């Protein structure tokens, strides 16, 4: 069990580091390409859908039967739908309209600028908190996938890592604009990402040292439901917004083909 926890922790750290990579895009480029982020989200969505339906849900249905497998799957969907209802949606704060206000040298313009910076900073902090809460069940998913096998754990970690890069951008962009500090933007984005390995540690101590095969398959079926909801509720809409529907759909199928080749 200890070795499995270590493997899951290492895989979840990949997701945490990916959030930091998203912050680096902001720090280095200052204006990340939304189209590139959208295509990345689409590719990650394809990975997620392939894992959810062709691996986790498929195995749950085969092992537990049609009824039980579906109950576990939709329990995961409902669980994450409830969690998502309390989490603010990550957004990339546009700054071009606000920067134009710097040209206004009067005190009123400065006051407006200060107020807007506070608002943008608050939105970045709220987004960081939301993503931290969001990363907890992702850490749980990586841990349970690692219990099933290294291949499942790696596949989940890869898809989640790609998904976490735009989340790092969503945190770092408003913080960097509001504080003008590269370190503060990088630090807050990184901290939100490392909630994922924390989720692994917590769930490792909550679960018994040995799970029955039926319970494990059921939990993995629920993870499939969580991943499916995450993909359809968050990743695909962002991909469509950033890269357009046609390009995003191509990226989705490319991700599914890539994951199918690994299975």
């Amino acid at each position: 069990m200890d070795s499995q926890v270590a493997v899951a922790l290492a895989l979840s750290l990949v997701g945490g580091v990916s959030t930091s990579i998203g912050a680096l895009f902001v720090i280095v480029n200052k204006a990340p390409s939304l189209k590139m982020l959208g295509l990345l989200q689409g590719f990650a969505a394809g990975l997620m859908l392939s894992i959810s339906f062709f691996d986790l849900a498929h195995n749950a249905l085969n092992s537990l039967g049609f009824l039980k497998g579906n109950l576990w799957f939709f329990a995961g969907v409902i669980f994450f739908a409830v969690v998502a209802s309390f989490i603010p949606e990550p957004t990339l704060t546009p700054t071009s309209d606000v920067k134009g206000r710097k040209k206004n040298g009067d005190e009123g313009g400065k006051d407006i600028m200060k107020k807007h910076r506070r608002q943008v900073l608050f939105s970045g902090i709220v987004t960081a908190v939301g993503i931290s809460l969001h990363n907890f069940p992702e850490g749980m998913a990586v841990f349970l996938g690692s219990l099933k096998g290294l291949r499942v754990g790696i596949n989940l970690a890869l898809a989640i890592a790609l998904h976490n890069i735009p989340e790092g951008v969503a945190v770092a962009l408003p913080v960097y604009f509001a504080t003008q500090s590269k370190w503060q933007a990088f630090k807050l984005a990184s901290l939100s990402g490392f909630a994922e390995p924390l989720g692994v540690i917590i769930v490792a101590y909550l679960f018994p040292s040995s799970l029955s095969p039926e319970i494990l398959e059921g939990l993995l079926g629920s993870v499939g439901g969580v991943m499916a909801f995450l993909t359809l509720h968050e990743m695909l809409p962002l991909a469509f917004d950033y890269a357009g529907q046609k390009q995003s759909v191509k990226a989705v199928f490319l991700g599914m083909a890539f994951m199918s080749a690994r299975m």
Side-chain angles (χ1 to χ4, degrees):
M1 185 70 175
D2 290 339
S3 62
Q4 290 173 325
V5 173
V7 169
L9 193 59
L11 291 175
S12 66
L13 283 171
V14 174
V17 170
S18 296
T19 311
S20 301
I21 292 173
L24 286 176
F25 276 123
V26 174
I27 292 171
V28 174
N29 299 320
K30 297 186 181 179
S33 167
L34 293 185
K35 183 175 182 180
M36 180 194 68
L37 293 176
L39 292 175
L40 193 64
Q41 283 285 79
F43 184 80
L47 299 181
M48 289 278 214
L49 289 175
S50 185
I51 294 168
S52 298
F53 292 109
F54 300 151
D55 193 344
L56 301 178
H58 174 76
N59 289 339
L61 290 172
N62 284 341
S63 301
L64 306 176
F66 184 82
L67 179 59
K68 283 187 178 180
N70 272 288
L71 287 175
W72 278 102
F73 178 85
F74 284 103
V77 171
I78 294 169
F79 165 75
F80 203 74
V82 172
V83 171
S85 67
F86 294 100
I87 297 176
E89 296 291 333
T91 56
L92 301 181
T93 305
T95 60
S96 57
D97 59 330
V98 182
K99 288 180 179 178
R101 297 181 186 179
K102 289 183 178 179
K103 297 178 181 178
N104 187 349
D106 60 13
E107 291 300 320
K110 291 180 180 179
D111 290 342
I112 291 173
M113 191 65 183
K114 288 179 180 178
K115 181 179 179 181
H116 192 86
R117 285 189 186 278
R118 287 196 298 268
Q119 291 173 336
V120 171
L121 178 61
F122 179 74
S123 73
I125 293 172
V126 169
T127 301
V129 172
I131 288 174
S132 298
L133 296 173
H134 176 279
N135 283 344
F136 259 89
E138 290 181 354
M140 295 169 60
V142 171
F143 174 74
L144 292 171
S146 299
L147 290 183
K148 174 69 174 178
L150 184 61
R151 179 186 62 81
V152 177
I154 290 175
N155 288 344
L156 280 171
L158 175 63
I160 290 171
L162 290 174
H163 168 58
N164 281 356
I165 293 175
E167 289 187 347
V169 174
V171 175
L173 191 61
V175 174
Y176 182 47
F177 168 75
T179 65
Q180 299 297 300
S181 169
K182 294 181 179 180
W183 168 242
Q184 291 296 331
F186 181 80
K187 181 175 69 173
L188 194 58
S190 298
L191 287 175
S192 67
F194 283 106
E196 191 168 313
L198 185 60
V200 170
I201 294 171
I202 290 174
V203 76
Y205 285 99
L206 288 178
F207 279 90
S209 57
S210 60
L211 291 171
S212 69
E214 182 175 346
I215 295 297
L216 179 58
E217 288 293 347
L219 288 171
L220 287 170
S222 294
V223 168
V226 168
M227 296 296 103
F229 183 88
L230 171 66
T231 302
L232 298 175
H233 182 259
E234 297 182 19
M235 298 173 71
L236 279 181
L238 284 177
F240 288 168
D241 286 344
Y242 296 163
Q245 185 174 347
K246 290 184 178 180
Q247 295 300 319
S248 297
V249 169
K250 292 177 183 177
V252 169
F253 281 109
L254 183 62
M256 293 181 74
F258 177 81
M259 186 55 66
S260 296
R262 288 174 53 87
M263 289 180 175

